[in-house]
Amino acid sequence: MTFRAAQGYRQHALWLSPAELEELIGELRAAIAPKLANQPSPERAQYLLSPIHFPLEAPQAEPERPTAEAEQETDT
């Protein structure tokens, strides 16, 4: 693979619970951490890897169901 071919940008939208996000972060750390010890060598190029994660929207709360008391207030 050439240096030019190894450049890339990938973006994925995932639906994750807080526990699933925590698990994914741990898996990414486990995959990346061993490579941080690599030293420069003639066959290695340095790459900048920038994982970023942020919610696209807040979790949707269940809509509140009106209580019998609230229904009576709206009827009057």
Side-chain angles (χ1 to χ4, degrees):
M1 179 183 305
T2 66
F3 177 74
R4 177 166 225 136
Q7 297 177 32
Y9 177 81
R10 292 177 183 51
Q11 190 171 28
H12 308 281
L14 306 172
W15 291 95
L16 301 171
S17 69
E20 291 167 329
L21 177 60
E22 189 174 322
E23 179 183 35
L24 178 61
I25 292 169
E27 292 168 349
L28 290 170
R29 286 179 180 156
I32 295 166
K35 305 300 183 204
L36 296 174
N38 287 359
Q39 297 297 311
S41 70
E43 68 273 1
R44 285 190 175 135
Q46 190 174 33
Y47 291 86
L48 178 62
L49 180 63
S50 303
I52 180 171
H53 48 87
F54 52 90
L56 296 177
E57 59 185 51
Q60 299 295 319
E62 298 235 357
E64 290 185 29
R65 295 184 181 160
T67 63
E69 184 178 297
E71 287 179 3
Q72 288 175 353
E73 290 176 10
T74 58
D75 290 340
T76 56

Short mmCIF file of all heavy atoms in Angstrom, two decimals, residues 6-70:
data_model
loop_
_atom_site.label_atom_id
_atom_site.label_comp_id
_atom_site.label_asym_id
_atom_site.label_seq_id
_atom_site.Cartn_x
_atom_site.Cartn_y
_atom_site.Cartn_z
N ALA A 6 -2.98 5.13 1.77
CA ALA A 6 -3.28 4.89 3.18
C ALA A 6 -3.98 6.07 3.85
O ALA A 6 -4.41 5.96 4.99
CB ALA A 6 -2.00 4.55 3.93
N GLN A 7 -4.08 7.17 3.17
CA GLN A 7 -4.77 8.33 3.73
C GLN A 7 -6.27 8.10 3.63
O GLN A 7 -6.75 7.52 2.67
CB GLN A 7 -4.38 9.60 2.97
CG GLN A 7 -2.92 9.94 3.09
CD GLN A 7 -2.58 11.16 2.26
OE1 GLN A 7 -3.39 12.05 2.10
NE2 GLN A 7 -1.37 11.18 1.73
N GLY A 8 -6.98 8.56 4.60
CA GLY A 8 -8.42 8.36 4.52
C GLY A 8 -9.17 9.04 5.63
O GLY A 8 -8.60 9.48 6.62
N TYR A 9 -10.44 9.09 5.47
CA TYR A 9 -11.35 9.68 6.44
C TYR A 9 -12.57 8.79 6.48
O TYR A 9 -13.14 8.47 5.44
CB TYR A 9 -11.72 11.09 5.99
CG TYR A 9 -12.71 11.79 6.87
CD1 TYR A 9 -12.31 12.40 8.04
CD2 TYR A 9 -14.06 11.83 6.53
CE1 TYR A 9 -13.22 13.05 8.85
CE2 TYR A 9 -14.98 12.48 7.34
CZ TYR A 9 -14.54 13.09 8.50
OH TYR A 9 -15.45 13.73 9.30
N ARG A 10 -12.95 8.37 7.65
CA ARG A 10 -14.12 7.52 7.79
C ARG A 10 -15.02 8.08 8.87
O ARG A 10 -14.55 8.48 9.93
CB ARG A 10 -13.70 6.10 8.13
CG ARG A 10 -12.98 5.48 6.94
CD ARG A 10 -12.48 4.13 7.19
NE ARG A 10 -11.74 3.51 6.14
CZ ARG A 10 -10.71 3.98 5.45
NH1 ARG A 10 -10.30 5.19 5.66
NH2 ARG A 10 -10.10 3.27 4.54
N GLN A 11 -16.28 8.08 8.57
CA GLN A 11 -17.25 8.59 9.53
C GLN A 11 -18.45 7.66 9.52
O GLN A 11 -18.95 7.29 8.45
CB GLN A 11 -17.66 10.00 9.11
CG GLN A 11 -18.45 10.74 10.12
CD GLN A 11 -18.64 12.20 9.72
OE1 GLN A 11 -18.65 12.54 8.55
NE2 GLN A 11 -18.79 13.04 10.70
N HIS A 12 -18.90 7.29 10.71
CA HIS A 12 -20.03 6.37 10.83
C HIS A 12 -20.96 6.90 11.92
O HIS A 12 -20.50 7.34 12.97
CB HIS A 12 -19.56 4.97 11.23
CG HIS A 12 -18.49 4.43 10.34
ND1 HIS A 12 -18.75 3.90 9.10
CD2 HIS A 12 -17.15 4.37 10.50
CE1 HIS A 12 -17.61 3.51 8.54
NE2 HIS A 12 -16.63 3.80 9.37
N ALA A 13 -22.24 6.85 11.70
CA ALA A 13 -23.22 7.20 12.73
C ALA A 13 -23.71 5.90 13.36
O ALA A 13 -24.18 5.01 12.66
CB ALA A 13 -24.39 7.96 12.11
N LEU A 14 -23.56 5.79 14.65
CA LEU A 14 -23.93 4.57 15.37
C LEU A 14 -24.98 4.89 16.44
O LEU A 14 -24.91 5.93 17.07
CB LEU A 14 -22.69 3.98 16.08
CG LEU A 14 -21.46 3.71 15.23
CD1 LEU A 14 -20.29 3.34 16.11
CD2 LEU A 14 -21.75 2.63 14.23
N TRP A 15 -25.90 3.98 16.62
CA TRP A 15 -26.86 4.07 17.73
C TRP A 15 -26.28 3.26 18.88
O TRP A 15 -26.14 2.03 18.77
CB TRP A 15 -28.21 3.52 17.32
CG TRP A 15 -28.91 4.36 16.31
CD1 TRP A 15 -28.88 4.18 14.96
CD2 TRP A 15 -29.72 5.50 16.54
NE1 TRP A 15 -29.64 5.14 14.34
CE2 TRP A 15 -30.16 5.98 15.29
CE3 TRP A 15 -30.11 6.19 17.70
CZ2 TRP A 15 -30.98 7.09 15.17
CZ3 TRP A 15 -30.93 7.29 17.56
CH2 TRP A 15 -31.36 7.73 16.31
N LEU A 16 -25.92 3.93 19.98
CA LEU A 16 -25.28 3.24 21.10
C LEU A 16 -25.88 3.70 22.43
O LEU A 16 -26.16 4.88 22.61
CB LEU A 16 -23.77 3.55 21.13
CG LEU A 16 -22.96 3.16 19.90
CD1 LEU A 16 -21.56 3.73 20.00
CD2 LEU A 16 -22.91 1.66 19.75
N SER A 17 -26.03 2.76 23.32
CA SER A 17 -26.40 3.11 24.69
C SER A 17 -25.12 3.60 25.38
O SER A 17 -24.01 3.40 24.87
CB SER A 17 -26.93 1.87 25.42
OG SER A 17 -25.88 0.94 25.62
N PRO A 18 -25.24 4.24 26.54
CA PRO A 18 -24.03 4.65 27.26
C PRO A 18 -23.07 3.47 27.52
O PRO A 18 -21.86 3.61 27.38
CB PRO A 18 -24.56 5.24 28.56
CG PRO A 18 -25.92 5.77 28.20
CD PRO A 18 -26.44 4.76 27.20
N ALA A 19 -23.62 2.31 27.85
CA ALA A 19 -22.77 1.14 28.10
C ALA A 19 -22.08 0.68 26.82
O ALA A 19 -20.90 0.31 26.83
CB ALA A 19 -23.61 -0.01 28.68
N GLU A 20 -22.81 0.71 25.70
CA GLU A 20 -22.19 0.31 24.42
C GLU A 20 -21.11 1.29 24.00
O GLU A 20 -20.08 0.88 23.47
CB GLU A 20 -23.27 0.21 23.34
CG GLU A 20 -24.23 -0.95 23.55
CD GLU A 20 -25.46 -0.87 22.67
OE1 GLU A 20 -25.91 0.25 22.33
OE2 GLU A 20 -25.97 -1.95 22.32
N LEU A 21 -21.33 2.59 24.24
CA LEU A 21 -20.31 3.59 23.91
C LEU A 21 -19.05 3.36 24.75
O LEU A 21 -17.94 3.38 24.23
CB LEU A 21 -20.84 5.01 24.14
CG LEU A 21 -19.83 6.13 23.91
CD1 LEU A 21 -19.31 6.12 22.49
CD2 LEU A 21 -20.45 7.48 24.27
N GLU A 22 -19.24 3.11 26.02
CA GLU A 22 -18.10 2.83 26.91
C GLU A 22 -17.34 1.59 26.43
O GLU A 22 -16.11 1.58 26.40
CB GLU A 22 -18.61 2.62 28.34
CG GLU A 22 -17.51 2.53 29.36
CD GLU A 22 -18.06 2.46 30.77
OE1 GLU A 22 -19.06 3.16 31.08
OE2 GLU A 22 -17.49 1.71 31.58
N GLU A 23 -18.06 0.56 26.02
CA GLU A 23 -17.43 -0.65 25.51
C GLU A 23 -16.64 -0.36 24.23
O GLU A 23 -15.50 -0.81 24.07
CB GLU A 23 -18.50 -1.71 25.24
CG GLU A 23 -17.93 -3.01 24.68
CD GLU A 23 -19.02 -4.02 24.35
OE1 GLU A 23 -20.13 -3.61 23.91
OE2 GLU A 23 -18.77 -5.22 24.50
N LEU A 24 -17.23 0.41 23.32
CA LEU A 24 -16.56 0.75 22.07
C LEU A 24 -15.29 1.55 22.33
O LEU A 24 -14.24 1.28 21.73
CB LEU A 24 -17.51 1.53 21.16
CG LEU A 24 -16.92 1.99 19.83
CD1 LEU A 24 -16.49 0.79 18.98
CD2 LEU A 24 -17.92 2.85 19.07
N ILE A 25 -15.35 2.52 23.23
CA ILE A 25 -14.16 3.31 23.57
C ILE A 25 -13.06 2.40 24.11
O ILE A 25 -11.89 2.53 23.74
CB ILE A 25 -14.51 4.43 24.57
CG1 ILE A 25 -15.40 5.47 23.89
CG2 ILE A 25 -13.25 5.08 25.14
CD1 ILE A 25 -16.03 6.47 24.83
N GLY A 26 -13.43 1.46 24.96
CA GLY A 26 -12.45 0.51 25.49
C GLY A 26 -11.82 -0.34 24.39
O GLY A 26 -10.62 -0.59 24.39
N GLU A 27 -12.64 -0.77 23.45
CA GLU A 27 -12.13 -1.57 22.33
C GLU A 27 -11.18 -0.77 21.45
O GLU A 27 -10.15 -1.28 20.99
CB GLU A 27 -13.29 -2.13 21.50
CG GLU A 27 -14.11 -3.17 22.25
CD GLU A 27 -15.42 -3.52 21.57
OE1 GLU A 27 -15.83 -2.82 20.62
OE2 GLU A 27 -16.04 -4.51 22.00
N LEU A 28 -11.53 0.50 21.19
CA LEU A 28 -10.64 1.35 20.40
C LEU A 28 -9.31 1.57 21.13
O LEU A 28 -8.24 1.50 20.52
CB LEU A 28 -11.32 2.70 20.10
CG LEU A 28 -12.48 2.64 19.13
CD1 LEU A 28 -13.22 3.97 19.09
CD2 LEU A 28 -12.01 2.25 17.74
N ARG A 29 -9.39 1.85 22.41
CA ARG A 29 -8.15 2.03 23.20
C ARG A 29 -7.29 0.76 23.16
O ARG A 29 -6.08 0.83 23.02
CB ARG A 29 -8.49 2.37 24.65
CG ARG A 29 -8.98 3.77 24.83
CD ARG A 29 -9.31 4.07 26.28
NE ARG A 29 -9.78 5.43 26.42
CZ ARG A 29 -10.55 5.85 27.41
NH1 ARG A 29 -10.94 5.00 28.35
NH2 ARG A 29 -10.93 7.10 27.47
N ALA A 30 -7.94 -0.39 23.30
CA ALA A 30 -7.20 -1.66 23.28
C ALA A 30 -6.53 -1.89 21.93
O ALA A 30 -5.44 -2.47 21.86
CB ALA A 30 -8.14 -2.82 23.61
N ALA A 31 -7.15 -1.45 20.86
CA ALA A 31 -6.56 -1.62 19.52
C ALA A 31 -5.43 -0.62 19.27
O ALA A 31 -4.44 -0.96 18.62
CB ALA A 31 -7.65 -1.46 18.45
N ILE A 32 -5.57 0.60 19.78
CA ILE A 32 -4.60 1.65 19.50
C ILE A 32 -3.40 1.62 20.45
O ILE A 32 -2.26 1.84 20.02
CB ILE A 32 -5.30 3.03 19.57
CG1 ILE A 32 -6.34 3.14 18.46
CG2 ILE A 32 -4.29 4.18 19.47
CD1 ILE A 32 -7.30 4.31 18.63
N ALA A 33 -3.62 1.37 21.72
CA ALA A 33 -2.57 1.48 22.73
C ALA A 33 -1.29 0.71 22.40
O ALA A 33 -0.19 1.27 22.55
CB ALA A 33 -3.11 1.06 24.10
N PRO A 34 -1.35 -0.53 21.93
CA PRO A 34 -0.10 -1.24 21.64
C PRO A 34 0.74 -0.56 20.55
O PRO A 34 1.96 -0.62 20.56
CB PRO A 34 -0.55 -2.62 21.19
CG PRO A 34 -1.93 -2.79 21.72
CD PRO A 34 -2.51 -1.41 21.77
N LYS A 35 0.08 0.12 19.62
CA LYS A 35 0.80 0.77 18.51
C LYS A 35 1.51 2.05 18.96
O LYS A 35 2.41 2.54 18.28
CB LYS A 35 -0.16 1.10 17.36
CG LYS A 35 -0.95 -0.09 16.85
CD LYS A 35 -0.05 -1.17 16.32
CE LYS A 35 -0.87 -2.31 15.74
NZ LYS A 35 -0.18 -3.56 15.71
N LEU A 36 1.10 2.61 20.10
CA LEU A 36 1.73 3.82 20.59
C LEU A 36 3.20 3.60 20.97
O LEU A 36 3.98 4.55 21.01
CB LEU A 36 0.97 4.39 21.79
CG LEU A 36 -0.47 4.85 21.51
CD1 LEU A 36 -1.17 5.24 22.80
CD2 LEU A 36 -0.47 6.00 20.52
N ALA A 37 3.57 2.36 21.21
CA ALA A 37 4.96 2.04 21.57
C ALA A 37 5.85 1.87 20.34
O ALA A 37 7.07 1.76 20.48
CB ALA A 37 4.99 0.76 22.41
N ASN A 38 5.27 1.87 19.14
CA ASN A 38 6.08 1.72 17.92
C ASN A 38 7.10 2.85 17.81
O ASN A 38 6.77 4.01 18.07
CB ASN A 38 5.21 1.72 16.67
CG ASN A 38 4.42 0.44 16.50
OD1 ASN A 38 4.52 -0.48 17.28
ND2 ASN A 38 3.62 0.40 15.45
N GLN A 39 8.30 2.51 17.42
CA GLN A 39 9.37 3.49 17.20
C GLN A 39 9.51 3.76 15.71
O GLN A 39 9.15 2.92 14.88
CB GLN A 39 10.69 2.95 17.77
CG GLN A 39 10.67 2.72 19.27
CD GLN A 39 10.46 4.03 20.04
OE1 GLN A 39 11.13 5.02 19.79
NE2 GLN A 39 9.50 4.01 20.96
N PRO A 40 10.05 4.94 15.36
CA PRO A 40 10.28 5.21 13.94
C PRO A 40 11.21 4.17 13.32
O PRO A 40 12.10 3.64 13.99
CB PRO A 40 10.96 6.58 13.95
CG PRO A 40 10.66 7.17 15.28
CD PRO A 40 10.48 6.02 16.22
N SER A 41 10.97 3.87 12.06
CA SER A 41 11.84 2.96 11.32
C SER A 41 11.70 3.29 9.83
O SER A 41 10.75 3.98 9.45
CB SER A 41 11.48 1.50 11.60
OG SER A 41 10.24 1.18 11.01
N PRO A 42 12.60 2.79 9.01
CA PRO A 42 12.53 3.11 7.57
C PRO A 42 11.22 2.70 6.91
O PRO A 42 10.77 3.36 5.98
CB PRO A 42 13.71 2.34 6.98
CG PRO A 42 14.66 2.16 8.11
CD PRO A 42 13.80 2.03 9.34
N GLU A 43 10.58 1.64 7.38
CA GLU A 43 9.34 1.19 6.74
C GLU A 43 8.09 1.83 7.35
O GLU A 43 6.98 1.58 6.89
CB GLU A 43 9.21 -0.34 6.76
CG GLU A 43 9.00 -0.95 8.12
CD GLU A 43 10.29 -1.25 8.89
OE1 GLU A 43 11.39 -0.98 8.42
OE2 GLU A 43 10.16 -1.75 10.01
N ARG A 44 8.25 2.65 8.38
CA ARG A 44 7.10 3.26 9.05
C ARG A 44 6.96 4.73 8.69
O ARG A 44 7.93 5.47 8.65
CB ARG A 44 7.23 3.15 10.56
CG ARG A 44 6.97 1.77 11.09
CD ARG A 44 6.88 1.79 12.60
NE ARG A 44 6.51 0.47 13.09
CZ ARG A 44 7.09 -0.13 14.11
NH1 ARG A 44 8.05 0.47 14.78
NH2 ARG A 44 6.69 -1.32 14.47
N ALA A 45 5.72 5.15 8.47
CA ALA A 45 5.37 6.57 8.35
C ALA A 45 4.53 6.92 9.57
O ALA A 45 3.83 6.06 10.12
CB ALA A 45 4.58 6.81 7.08
N GLN A 46 4.61 8.15 10.01
CA GLN A 46 3.81 8.57 11.16
C GLN A 46 2.42 9.00 10.68
O GLN A 46 2.29 9.72 9.69
CB GLN A 46 4.49 9.73 11.89
CG GLN A 46 3.84 10.05 13.21
CD GLN A 46 4.62 11.10 13.99
OE1 GLN A 46 5.22 12.00 13.41
NE2 GLN A 46 4.61 10.99 15.30
N TYR A 47 1.40 8.53 11.36
CA TYR A 47 0.01 8.85 11.03
C TYR A 47 -0.64 9.53 12.23
O TYR A 47 -0.38 9.17 13.37
CB TYR A 47 -0.80 7.59 10.70
CG TYR A 47 -0.38 6.96 9.40
CD1 TYR A 47 0.68 6.06 9.36
CD2 TYR A 47 -1.02 7.29 8.21
CE1 TYR A 47 1.08 5.49 8.16
CE2 TYR A 47 -0.63 6.73 7.02
CZ TYR A 47 0.42 5.83 7.00
OH TYR A 47 0.81 5.28 5.81
N LEU A 48 -1.47 10.48 11.95
CA LEU A 48 -2.25 11.14 12.99
C LEU A 48 -3.63 10.49 13.00
O LEU A 48 -4.38 10.57 12.03
CB LEU A 48 -2.37 12.65 12.70
CG LEU A 48 -3.21 13.45 13.68
CD1 LEU A 48 -2.60 13.39 15.09
CD2 LEU A 48 -3.32 14.89 13.21
N LEU A 49 -3.96 9.84 14.08
CA LEU A 49 -5.25 9.18 14.25
C LEU A 49 -6.03 10.01 15.26
O LEU A 49 -5.59 10.20 16.39
CB LEU A 49 -5.05 7.75 14.74
CG LEU A 49 -6.29 6.91 14.96
CD1 LEU A 49 -7.04 6.70 13.64
CD2 LEU A 49 -5.91 5.57 15.57
N SER A 50 -7.18 10.49 14.87
CA SER A 50 -7.97 11.39 15.73
C SER A 50 -9.38 10.87 15.93
O SER A 50 -10.33 11.35 15.31
CB SER A 50 -8.03 12.79 15.09
OG SER A 50 -6.75 13.30 14.88
N PRO A 51 -9.56 9.88 16.79
CA PRO A 51 -10.93 9.42 17.06
C PRO A 51 -11.72 10.53 17.76
O PRO A 51 -11.21 11.19 18.66
CB PRO A 51 -10.75 8.23 18.00
CG PRO A 51 -9.32 7.84 17.88
CD PRO A 51 -8.57 9.08 17.51
N ILE A 52 -12.91 10.74 17.32
CA ILE A 52 -13.79 11.73 17.94
C ILE A 52 -15.19 11.13 18.01
O ILE A 52 -15.63 10.47 17.09
CB ILE A 52 -13.77 13.07 17.16
CG1 ILE A 52 -14.68 14.08 17.82
CG2 ILE A 52 -14.14 12.88 15.71
CD1 ILE A 52 -14.56 15.49 17.26
N HIS A 53 -15.84 11.33 19.12
CA HIS A 53 -17.20 10.83 19.25
C HIS A 53 -18.01 11.86 20.01
O HIS A 53 -17.56 12.44 20.98
CB HIS A 53 -17.25 9.47 19.95
CG HIS A 53 -16.45 9.41 21.19
ND1 HIS A 53 -16.95 9.79 22.41
CD2 HIS A 53 -15.17 9.04 21.40
CE1 HIS A 53 -16.00 9.65 23.33
NE2 HIS A 53 -14.93 9.21 22.74
N PHE A 54 -19.20 12.13 19.51
CA PHE A 54 -20.10 13.05 20.16
C PHE A 54 -21.52 12.68 19.75
O PHE A 54 -21.75 12.19 18.66
CB PHE A 54 -19.79 14.52 19.83
CG PHE A 54 -19.69 14.81 18.37
CD1 PHE A 54 -20.80 15.19 17.63
CD2 PHE A 54 -18.47 14.70 17.71
CE1 PHE A 54 -20.70 15.45 16.28
CE2 PHE A 54 -18.36 14.96 16.35
CZ PHE A 54 -19.48 15.34 15.64
N PRO A 55 -22.47 12.92 20.64
CA PRO A 55 -23.85 12.54 20.30
C PRO A 55 -24.41 13.47 19.23
O PRO A 55 -24.16 14.67 19.22
CB PRO A 55 -24.60 12.70 21.62
CG PRO A 55 -23.77 13.63 22.43
CD PRO A 55 -22.35 13.46 21.98
N LEU A 56 -25.13 12.89 18.30
CA LEU A 56 -25.79 13.68 17.27
C LEU A 56 -27.08 14.30 17.80
O LEU A 56 -27.50 15.35 17.37
CB LEU A 56 -26.10 12.83 16.04
CG LEU A 56 -24.87 12.28 15.31
CD1 LEU A 56 -25.30 11.38 14.16
CD2 LEU A 56 -24.01 13.42 14.79
N GLU A 57 -27.70 13.61 18.73
CA GLU A 57 -28.91 14.13 19.36
C GLU A 57 -29.05 13.49 20.73
O GLU A 57 -28.51 12.42 20.98
CB GLU A 57 -30.15 13.86 18.52
CG GLU A 57 -30.40 12.39 18.25
CD GLU A 57 -31.57 12.16 17.32
OE1 GLU A 57 -31.62 12.76 16.25
OE2 GLU A 57 -32.44 11.35 17.70
N ALA A 58 -29.74 14.16 21.61
CA ALA A 58 -29.95 13.62 22.95
C ALA A 58 -30.91 12.45 22.87
O ALA A 58 -31.78 12.41 22.00
CB ALA A 58 -30.51 14.70 23.86
N PRO A 59 -30.76 11.48 23.78
CA PRO A 59 -31.72 10.37 23.80
C PRO A 59 -33.14 10.91 23.99
O PRO A 59 -33.35 11.87 24.73
CB PRO A 59 -31.29 9.54 25.01
CG PRO A 59 -29.90 9.94 25.29
CD PRO A 59 -29.75 11.35 24.81
N GLN A 60 -34.06 10.31 23.29
CA GLN A 60 -35.45 10.75 23.36
C GLN A 60 -36.10 10.17 24.62
O GLN A 60 -36.09 8.96 24.82
CB GLN A 60 -36.23 10.28 22.12
CG GLN A 60 -35.69 10.84 20.83
CD GLN A 60 -35.85 12.35 20.75
OE1 GLN A 60 -36.87 12.89 21.14
NE2 GLN A 60 -34.83 13.02 20.25
N ALA A 61 -36.64 11.05 25.43
CA ALA A 61 -37.37 10.60 26.61
C ALA A 61 -38.75 10.12 26.17
O ALA A 61 -39.30 10.60 25.18
CB ALA A 61 -37.50 11.74 27.61
N GLU A 62 -39.28 9.19 26.91
CA GLU A 62 -40.63 8.72 26.61
C GLU A 62 -41.59 9.88 26.85
O GLU A 62 -41.46 10.62 27.83
CB GLU A 62 -40.97 7.55 27.52
CG GLU A 62 -40.07 6.37 27.31
CD GLU A 62 -40.85 5.11 27.01
OE1 GLU A 62 -42.08 5.15 27.01
OE2 GLU A 62 -40.20 4.10 26.78
N PRO A 63 -42.57 10.08 25.96
CA PRO A 63 -43.52 11.17 26.17
C PRO A 63 -44.30 10.95 27.46
O PRO A 63 -44.65 9.82 27.79
CB PRO A 63 -44.44 11.11 24.95
CG PRO A 63 -44.13 9.85 24.24
CD PRO A 63 -42.83 9.31 24.77
N GLU A 64 -44.54 12.04 28.16
CA GLU A 64 -45.29 11.93 29.41
C GLU A 64 -46.74 11.62 29.09
O GLU A 64 -47.33 12.20 28.18
CB GLU A 64 -45.20 13.24 30.19
CG GLU A 64 -43.82 13.48 30.75
CD GLU A 64 -43.80 14.72 31.63
OE1 GLU A 64 -44.84 15.05 32.25
OE2 GLU A 64 -42.74 15.35 31.69
N ARG A 65 -47.28 10.69 29.82
CA ARG A 65 -48.69 10.35 29.65
C ARG A 65 -49.49 11.17 30.65
O ARG A 65 -49.14 11.25 31.83
CB ARG A 65 -48.90 8.86 29.89
CG ARG A 65 -48.20 8.03 28.86
CD ARG A 65 -48.48 6.58 29.05
NE ARG A 65 -47.75 5.84 28.04
CZ ARG A 65 -47.47 4.57 28.14
NH1 ARG A 65 -47.86 3.87 29.18
NH2 ARG A 65 -46.81 3.96 27.18
N PRO A 66 -50.56 11.77 30.19
CA PRO A 66 -51.35 12.59 31.11
C PRO A 66 -51.97 11.72 32.20
O PRO A 66 -52.41 10.60 31.93
CB PRO A 66 -52.42 13.23 30.23
CG PRO A 66 -52.31 12.59 28.89
CD PRO A 66 -51.06 11.78 28.85
N THR A 67 -51.99 12.25 33.38
CA THR A 67 -52.64 11.56 34.48
C THR A 67 -54.13 11.85 34.42
O THR A 67 -54.58 12.76 33.71
CB THR A 67 -52.08 12.03 35.84
OG1 THR A 67 -52.39 13.43 35.97
CG2 THR A 67 -50.59 11.81 35.93
N ALA A 68 -54.92 11.10 35.15
CA ALA A 68 -56.37 11.32 35.18
C ALA A 68 -56.66 12.73 35.67
O ALA A 68 -57.54 13.42 35.16
CB ALA A 68 -57.04 10.28 36.07
N GLU A 69 -55.88 13.22 36.63
CA GLU A 69 -56.07 14.57 37.17
C GLU A 69 -55.80 15.61 36.09
O GLU A 69 -56.55 16.57 35.92
CB GLU A 69 -55.13 14.76 38.35
CG GLU A 69 -55.29 16.09 39.06
CD GLU A 69 -54.38 16.19 40.26
OE1 GLU A 69 -54.54 15.40 41.20
OE2 GLU A 69 -53.50 17.06 40.22
N ALA A 70 -54.74 15.44 35.31
CA ALA A 70 -54.42 16.39 34.25
C ALA A 70 -55.48 16.37 33.16
O ALA A 70 -55.81 17.41 32.59
CB ALA A 70 -53.04 16.08 33.66
#
